[in-house]
Amino acid sequence: MSGRKIFAAGNWKMNKTIAEAEVFAEKFRSIPVRDDVRVGFMVPFPQIPAMIRAFAGTPVEIGAQNVHQELSGAYTGEVSLPMLKELGVNCCIIGHSERRAYFNETDDTVNQKLRLLLKESDITPILCVGEKLDEREEGKARTIVSDQIEHDFEDIPKDLAVRTVVAYEPVWAIGTGKTATAEQAEEMCAYIRTQIGALYDKATADAVTIQYGGSVKSGNAAEILGQENIDGVLVGGASLDPEEFAKIINR
Ligand code: PGA
């Protein structure tokens, strides 16, 4: 046993209206879930206040799916850290592969966002890394992931780095129904931990929470969460259904 607490986070992506989020919250709150698991929902910006209200007085954390790297300015359509702090979010995804693929997110901007979240707030960053299918097939998966980790953690001291949740999400397993095998997921999460150890030290590597994400559902959650170096899951599609997500938590 690693002693690290399991963290099950839902990533709703661009799904659910506020009314639908409220229905979800009411249903989810009626389902008993184990209390030794950290639970969070990363929801679209407009749903954040309603979800924070719906889960007030519970340990469930509500977070965002992105933040801009500047504190304010002429960035039409973006949301800043002071705005997220004012809302009272607990977590924020950064560097999701969909943001990297469709919105020009680079390791430079991810690094700026990680530094900002860690230095200017108590918000838990959920930093997504992962290789694409062709990169895995070409035997480059480890190189891609280690380059991301190295770049994303640049100029971040270890006392701050330790607060980061790293989510290993192989791009080929996201939304495809194609889960990495538990062995593939464990192998890369162990590698990420070793790399954090090399960047910082073993105590930091041992303390960091590492999630796996990519087609996680109730049927594969137990095997994935049973791996030594996997401390949680980042769940897209299956987090939209309160019963299915509760089954993942209760696996
Ligand atoms: P998925 O998405 O569970 O629908 O594959 C995971 C993610 O992108 O965070």
Side-chain angles (χ1 to χ4, degrees):
M1 282 304 288
S2 68
R4 293 180 295 267
K5 190 170 184 171
I6 296 288
F7 183 13
N11 171 14
W12 279 6
K13 311 194 177 185
M14 196 176 71
N15 291 294
K16 294 194 192 292
T17 62
I18 295 173
E20 288 164 349
E22 283 168 343
V23 171
F24 176 99
E26 200 181 328
K27 177 74 194 163
F28 184 78
R29 287 199 61 172
S30 74
I31 306 171
V33 290
R34 44 196 287 181
D35 59 9
D36 59 347
V37 175
R38 182 176 174 188
V39 176
F41 293 103
M42 310 306 129
V43 303
F45 295 121
Q47 286 85 318
I48 289 173
M51 287 291 277
I52 289 179
R53 266 196 310 278
F55 286 101
T58 80
V60 171
E61 300 180 29
I62 302 301
Q65 300 169 7
N66 186 30
V67 64
H68 195 271
Q69 61 271 28
E70 298 294 336
L71 290 172
S72 67
Y75 301 103
T76 302
E78 290 292 309
V79 169
S80 72
L81 181 63
M83 298 172 193
L84 291 185
K85 284 162 79 172
E86 189 176 45
L87 289 172
V89 305
N90 304 107
C91 316
C92 183
I93 294 176
I94 52 172
H96 191 278
S97 62
E98 286 149 18
R99 303 257 0 139
R100 292 178 190 256
Y102 310 137
F103 304 99
N104 288 330
E105 191 83 85
T106 63
D107 286 310
D108 268 339
T109 54
V110 175
N111 171 247
Q112 289 171 45
K113 291 175 185 199
L114 185 57
R115 268 190 278 167
L116 186 71
L117 283 165
L118 291 171
K119 289 185 178 167
E120 305 291 336
S121 81
D122 295 328
I123 296 171
T124 300
I126 302 179
L127 164 67
C128 300
V129 295
E131 81 287 357
K132 301 191 192 80
L133 183 59
D134 57 332
E135 294 165 340
R136 175 160 285 263
E137 285 173 349
E138 288 164 25
K140 294 191 202 142
R142 278 188 174 216
T143 315
I144 295 290
V145 171
S146 69
D147 284 353
Q148 289 173 335
I149 293 282
E150 202 170 310
H151 200 147
D152 297 347
F153 277 100
E154 229 164 74
D155 290 329
I156 295 174
K158 72 174 176 189
D159 59 313
L160 295 180
V162 74
R163 284 181 29 219
T164 309
V165 172
V166 179
Y168 168 56
E169 298 207 309
V171 179
W172 47 272
I174 295 177
T176 56
K178 206 175 162 190
T179 329
T181 63
E183 292 71 34
Q184 284 172 321
E186 165 63 13
E187 198 251 0
M188 190 63 87
C189 291
Y191 179 65
I192 290 170
R193 200 176 299 286
T194 307
Q195 223 209 334
I196 292 171
L199 288 178
Y200 297 101
D201 54 28
K202 187 169 182 311
T204 308
D206 285 345
V208 157
T209 297
I210 303 180
Q211 296 175 319
Y212 166 80
S215 298
V216 173
K217 40 192 176 297
S218 58
N220 57 25
E223 198 190 358
I224 290 167
L225 287 169
Q227 305 299 312
E228 174 65 23
N229 285 288
I230 302 181
D231 314 316
V233 282
L234 184 56
V235 186
S239 74
L240 297 170
D241 174 348
E243 281 168 355
E244 175 69 4
F245 192 60
K247 276 191 204 156
I248 291 172
I249 297 165
N250 293 334
R251 86 275 173 206

